[in-house]
Structures are given as structure tokens and as C-alpha cells.
mmCIF file of all heavy atoms in Angstrom:
data_model
loop_
_atom_site.group_PDB
_atom_site.id
_atom_site.type_symbol
_atom_site.label_atom_id
_atom_site.label_comp_id
_atom_site.label_asym_id
_atom_site.label_seq_id
_atom_site.Cartn_x
_atom_site.Cartn_y
_atom_site.Cartn_z
ATOM 1 N N ALA A 5 148.204 177.365 108.218
ATOM 2 C CA ALA A 5 147.763 176.015 108.569
ATOM 3 C C ALA A 5 148.855 175.009 108.231
ATOM 4 O O ALA A 5 149.661 175.216 107.323
ATOM 5 C CB ALA A 5 146.477 175.663 107.832
ATOM 6 N N VAL A 6 148.880 173.903 108.987
ATOM 7 C CA VAL A 6 149.823 172.807 108.754
ATOM 8 C C VAL A 6 149.010 171.516 108.640
ATOM 9 O O VAL A 6 148.292 171.138 109.587
ATOM 10 C CB VAL A 6 150.858 172.703 109.897
ATOM 11 C CG1 VAL A 6 151.770 171.502 109.659
ATOM 12 C CG2 VAL A 6 151.663 173.985 110.010
ATOM 13 N N ASP A 7 149.109 170.878 107.482
ATOM 14 C CA ASP A 7 148.333 169.653 107.217
ATOM 15 C C ASP A 7 146.849 169.864 107.519
ATOM 16 O O ASP A 7 146.173 168.998 108.113
ATOM 17 C CB ASP A 7 148.886 168.482 108.041
ATOM 18 C CG ASP A 7 149.979 167.731 107.302
ATOM 19 O OD1 ASP A 7 150.274 168.103 106.139
ATOM 20 O OD2 ASP A 7 150.553 166.798 107.882
ATOM 21 N N GLY A 8 146.334 171.015 107.134
ATOM 22 C CA GLY A 8 144.920 171.304 107.287
ATOM 23 C C GLY A 8 144.517 171.783 108.667
ATOM 24 O O GLY A 8 143.347 172.129 108.889
ATOM 25 N N ILE A 9 145.454 171.805 109.614
ATOM 26 C CA ILE A 9 145.146 172.278 110.972
ATOM 27 C C ILE A 9 145.447 173.767 111.060
ATOM 28 O O ILE A 9 146.587 174.194 110.864
ATOM 29 C CB ILE A 9 145.975 171.519 112.034
ATOM 30 C CG1 ILE A 9 145.672 170.016 111.958
ATOM 31 C CG2 ILE A 9 145.673 172.058 113.431
ATOM 32 C CD1 ILE A 9 146.526 169.186 112.881
ATOM 33 N N ASN A 10 144.402 174.553 111.334
ATOM 34 C CA ASN A 10 144.565 176.001 111.426
ATOM 35 C C ASN A 10 145.445 176.346 112.628
ATOM 36 O O ASN A 10 145.215 175.858 113.730
ATOM 37 C CB ASN A 10 143.185 176.667 111.560
ATOM 38 C CG ASN A 10 143.257 178.163 111.291
ATOM 39 O OD1 ASN A 10 144.085 178.851 111.854
ATOM 40 N ND2 ASN A 10 142.374 178.639 110.422
ATOM 41 N N MET A 11 146.440 177.209 112.392
ATOM 42 C CA MET A 11 147.395 177.546 113.445
ATOM 43 C C MET A 11 146.795 178.488 114.485
ATOM 44 O O MET A 11 147.152 178.438 115.657
ATOM 45 C CB MET A 11 148.637 178.203 112.848
ATOM 46 C CG MET A 11 149.452 177.284 111.969
ATOM 47 S SD MET A 11 150.228 175.962 112.937
ATOM 48 C CE MET A 11 151.347 176.905 113.952
ATOM 49 N N GLU A 12 145.902 179.347 114.084
ATOM 50 C CA GLU A 12 145.379 180.360 114.995
ATOM 51 C C GLU A 12 144.496 179.725 116.063
ATOM 52 O O GLU A 12 143.477 179.108 115.771
ATOM 53 C CB GLU A 12 144.585 181.411 114.218
ATOM 54 C CG GLU A 12 144.163 182.596 115.082
ATOM 55 C CD GLU A 12 143.527 183.704 114.257
ATOM 56 O OE1 GLU A 12 143.555 183.611 113.013
ATOM 57 O OE2 GLU A 12 143.011 184.660 114.865
ATOM 58 N N GLY A 13 144.927 179.861 117.314
ATOM 59 C CA GLY A 13 144.144 179.364 118.446
ATOM 60 C C GLY A 13 144.212 177.873 118.645
ATOM 61 O O GLY A 13 143.478 177.325 119.475
ATOM 62 N N ASN A 14 145.071 177.163 117.909
ATOM 63 C CA ASN A 14 145.183 175.715 118.056
ATOM 64 C C ASN A 14 146.585 175.324 118.502
ATOM 65 O O ASN A 14 147.294 176.111 119.123
ATOM 66 C CB ASN A 14 144.817 175.028 116.735
ATOM 67 C CG ASN A 14 143.336 175.064 116.461
ATOM 68 O OD1 ASN A 14 142.553 174.535 117.233
ATOM 69 N ND2 ASN A 14 142.949 175.692 115.358
ATOM 70 N N LYS A 15 146.993 174.139 118.155
ATOM 71 C CA LYS A 15 148.300 173.633 118.547
ATOM 72 C C LYS A 15 149.424 174.447 117.928
ATOM 73 O O LYS A 15 149.256 175.064 116.878
ATOM 74 C CB LYS A 15 148.440 172.174 118.114
ATOM 75 C CG LYS A 15 147.516 171.196 118.815
ATOM 76 C CD LYS A 15 147.761 169.786 118.305
ATOM 77 C CE LYS A 15 146.892 168.773 119.005
ATOM 78 N NZ LYS A 15 147.150 167.396 118.490
ATOM 79 N N SER A 16 150.562 174.389 118.586
ATOM 80 C CA SER A 16 151.749 175.006 118.014
ATOM 81 C C SER A 16 152.289 174.116 116.904
ATOM 82 O O SER A 16 151.906 172.941 116.782
ATOM 83 C CB SER A 16 152.827 175.201 119.083
ATOM 84 O OG SER A 16 153.318 173.931 119.507
ATOM 85 N N LEU A 17 153.160 174.654 116.083
ATOM 86 C CA LEU A 17 153.771 173.890 115.003
ATOM 87 C C LEU A 17 154.490 172.669 115.549
ATOM 88 O O LEU A 17 154.412 171.566 114.987
ATOM 89 C CB LEU A 17 154.736 174.789 114.221
ATOM 90 C CG LEU A 17 155.500 174.139 113.072
ATOM 91 C CD1 LEU A 17 154.531 173.634 112.005
ATOM 92 C CD2 LEU A 17 156.475 175.141 112.456
ATOM 93 N N GLU A 18 155.209 172.849 116.666
ATOM 94 C CA GLU A 18 155.944 171.731 117.266
ATOM 95 C C GLU A 18 154.997 170.609 117.701
ATOM 96 O O GLU A 18 155.305 169.421 117.549
ATOM 97 C CB GLU A 18 156.764 172.226 118.467
ATOM 98 C CG GLU A 18 157.948 173.122 118.116
ATOM 99 C CD GLU A 18 157.528 174.516 117.686
ATOM 100 O OE1 GLU A 18 156.372 174.920 117.984
ATOM 101 O OE2 GLU A 18 158.342 175.201 117.046
ATOM 102 N N GLU A 19 153.866 170.997 118.259
ATOM 103 C CA GLU A 19 152.893 169.991 118.705
ATOM 104 C C GLU A 19 152.274 169.249 117.527
ATOM 105 O O GLU A 19 151.991 168.043 117.616
ATOM 106 C CB GLU A 19 151.787 170.668 119.525
ATOM 107 C CG GLU A 19 152.261 171.184 120.874
ATOM 108 C CD GLU A 19 151.190 172.001 121.581
ATOM 109 O OE1 GLU A 19 150.410 172.698 120.889
ATOM 110 O OE2 GLU A 19 151.142 171.958 122.825
ATOM 111 N N ILE A 20 152.081 169.935 116.416
ATOM 112 C CA ILE A 20 151.476 169.303 115.236
ATOM 113 C C ILE A 20 152.399 168.250 114.639
ATOM 114 O O ILE A 20 151.953 167.171 114.217
ATOM 115 C CB ILE A 20 151.113 170.366 114.184
ATOM 116 C CG1 ILE A 20 149.987 171.264 114.704
ATOM 117 C CG2 ILE A 20 150.711 169.720 112.857
ATOM 118 C CD1 ILE A 20 149.673 172.445 113.803
ATOM 119 N N VAL A 21 153.703 168.523 114.615
ATOM 120 C CA VAL A 21 154.630 167.607 113.939
ATOM 121 C C VAL A 21 155.263 166.583 114.875
ATOM 122 O O VAL A 21 155.956 165.666 114.408
ATOM 123 C CB VAL A 21 155.746 168.396 113.213
ATOM 124 C CG1 VAL A 21 155.164 169.376 112.225
ATOM 125 C CG2 VAL A 21 156.678 169.102 114.201
ATOM 126 N N GLU A 22 155.026 166.701 116.189
ATOM 127 C CA GLU A 22 155.749 165.830 117.120
ATOM 128 C C GLU A 22 155.393 164.347 116.937
ATOM 129 O O GLU A 22 156.199 163.461 117.277
ATOM 130 C CB GLU A 22 155.485 166.262 118.566
ATOM 131 C CG GLU A 22 154.060 166.095 119.039
ATOM 132 C CD GLU A 22 153.879 166.575 120.480
ATOM 133 O OE1 GLU A 22 154.898 166.945 121.103
ATOM 134 O OE2 GLU A 22 152.730 166.576 120.973
ATOM 135 N N ASP A 23 154.213 164.060 116.410
ATOM 136 C CA ASP A 23 153.812 162.659 116.205
ATOM 137 C C ASP A 23 154.187 162.142 114.813
ATOM 138 O O ASP A 23 153.932 160.976 114.494
ATOM 139 C CB ASP A 23 152.306 162.510 116.406
ATOM 140 C CG ASP A 23 151.882 162.757 117.847
ATOM 141 O OD1 ASP A 23 152.706 162.476 118.747
ATOM 142 O OD2 ASP A 23 150.756 163.243 118.061
ATOM 143 N N LYS A 24 154.766 162.999 114.003
ATOM 144 C CA LYS A 24 155.175 162.573 112.664
ATOM 145 C C LYS A 24 156.595 162.024 112.699
ATOM 146 O O LYS A 24 157.291 162.095 113.718
ATOM 147 C CB LYS A 24 155.043 163.744 111.687
ATOM 148 C CG LYS A 24 153.599 164.242 111.557
ATOM 149 C CD LYS A 24 153.457 165.291 110.495
ATOM 150 C CE LYS A 24 152.007 165.762 110.388
ATOM 151 N NZ LYS A 24 151.094 164.664 109.963
ATOM 152 N N LYS A 25 157.012 161.486 111.578
ATOM 153 C CA LYS A 25 158.327 160.863 111.509
ATOM 154 C C LYS A 25 159.248 161.635 110.581
ATOM 155 O O LYS A 25 158.791 162.342 109.675
ATOM 156 C CB LYS A 25 158.188 159.421 111.014
ATOM 157 C CG LYS A 25 157.408 158.513 111.952
ATOM 158 C CD LYS A 25 157.316 157.094 111.385
ATOM 159 C CE LYS A 25 156.540 156.186 112.321
ATOM 160 N NZ LYS A 25 156.430 154.796 111.770
ATOM 161 N N VAL A 26 160.528 161.470 110.831
ATOM 162 C CA VAL A 26 161.529 162.054 109.944
ATOM 163 C C VAL A 26 161.329 161.488 108.539
ATOM 164 O O VAL A 26 161.187 160.278 108.355
ATOM 165 C CB VAL A 26 162.955 161.739 110.446
ATOM 166 C CG1 VAL A 26 164.002 162.211 109.436
ATOM 167 C CG2 VAL A 26 163.187 162.384 111.798
ATOM 168 N N GLY A 27 161.262 162.360 107.551
ATOM 169 C CA GLY A 27 161.022 161.951 106.175
ATOM 170 C C GLY A 27 159.593 162.170 105.724
ATOM 171 O O GLY A 27 159.311 162.172 104.515
ATOM 172 N N ASP A 28 158.667 162.363 106.702
ATOM 173 C CA ASP A 28 157.278 162.650 106.332
ATOM 174 C C ASP A 28 157.195 163.996 105.631
ATOM 175 O O ASP A 28 157.973 164.925 105.909
ATOM 176 C CB ASP A 28 156.382 162.673 107.574
ATOM 177 C CG ASP A 28 156.090 161.280 108.108
ATOM 178 O OD1 ASP A 28 156.495 160.307 107.453
ATOM 179 O OD2 ASP A 28 155.489 161.173 109.191
#
């Protein structure tokens, strides 16, 4: 999981972090 979002069957890692900012 990334930030509480389960990876299995959900968004890819790239999709999860694309709305975040450098330094987060």
C-alpha cells in the first residue's frame, strides 16, 4: 500500500504519486 491505498487491483504507484509534489 502507498499512503493507505492498497496496491492490489487499484491505481499504479505512478498514478498515486502523480498529484503529489516534489519533497512530499
Side-chain angles (χ1 to χ4, degrees):
V6 177
D7 271 358
I9 300 175
N10 195 310
M11 294 292 295
E12 188 173 352
N14 286 299
K15 294 180 178 180
S16 68
L17 178 62
E18 290 73 19
E19 291 173 326
I20 293 173
V21 303
E22 66 181 355
D23 293 330
K24 298 186 180 297
K25 296 180 180 179
V26 174
D28 285 354

